[in-house]
Amino acid sequence: ASLRNLLRRLSVELGVRLVVNSKGFVGVIKKCLFDLEMLVFFERITGVQEGTYGNGTHYDWQSLSGAGLPPEMFSFLGRASAHEFLQGAKRTTIRLDMSRRGLDLKQAVMVDDDRGEINDAIGLVSCIHVAGCGVGAEEAEALLGFLGIHPHPYAHPALMWRATIR
């Protein structure tokens, strides 16, 4: 619930455009976020195309064609026309997205659990490394700190900087 509240605050109340850039499958990410009632907060989900790891399995190719999928599942599949597939490395996809929007370093933040992805993105965007099991209170406060928002009137300011920030 607290992550959903953070996403609602960022997206709805503050007008922050949220995008997922993942090496995971677009359809799986969309379905999970939908089931958690969080998909509505994201402008776009960018990931790999189902069936692109190796040669893909019979299931991967069947999913791509939509054969056997219930109609309500089609909306979760990624579409190239919506820029929903990674354009090479995450850094490249982020750079292209920032360029399309006319954003600079101070107007974008990358939150990632992969230290290699964070190191690759330094100099392109501000970065927050999520260690452990996802975005917790410390990372949320650091993210709000980047936006110049004090997260909670009773929160200790030192919490903002406990997350690894570059």
Side-chain angles (χ1 to χ4, degrees), residues 88-118:
K90 284 184 187 180
R91 176 185 174 87
T92 304
T93 300
I94 293 168
R95 185 181 45 73
L96 289 170
D97 198 30
M98 289 174 65
S99 176
R100 272 196 290 275
R101 298 170 190 270
L103 301 177
D104 65 27
L105 171 73
K106 295 178 184 173
Q107 296 174 301
V109 179
M110 176 182 184
V111 179
D112 205 300
D113 65 346
D114 185 326
R115 176 73 65 190
E117 295 289 353
I118 292 287

Side-chain angles (χ1 to χ4, degrees), residues 112-122 129-131 164-166:
D112 205 300
D113 65 346
D114 185 326
R115 176 73 65 190
E117 295 289 353
I118 292 287
N119 291 338
D120 193 37
I122 291 173
H129 179 247
V130 177
T164 305
I165 301 171
R166 292 188 174 211

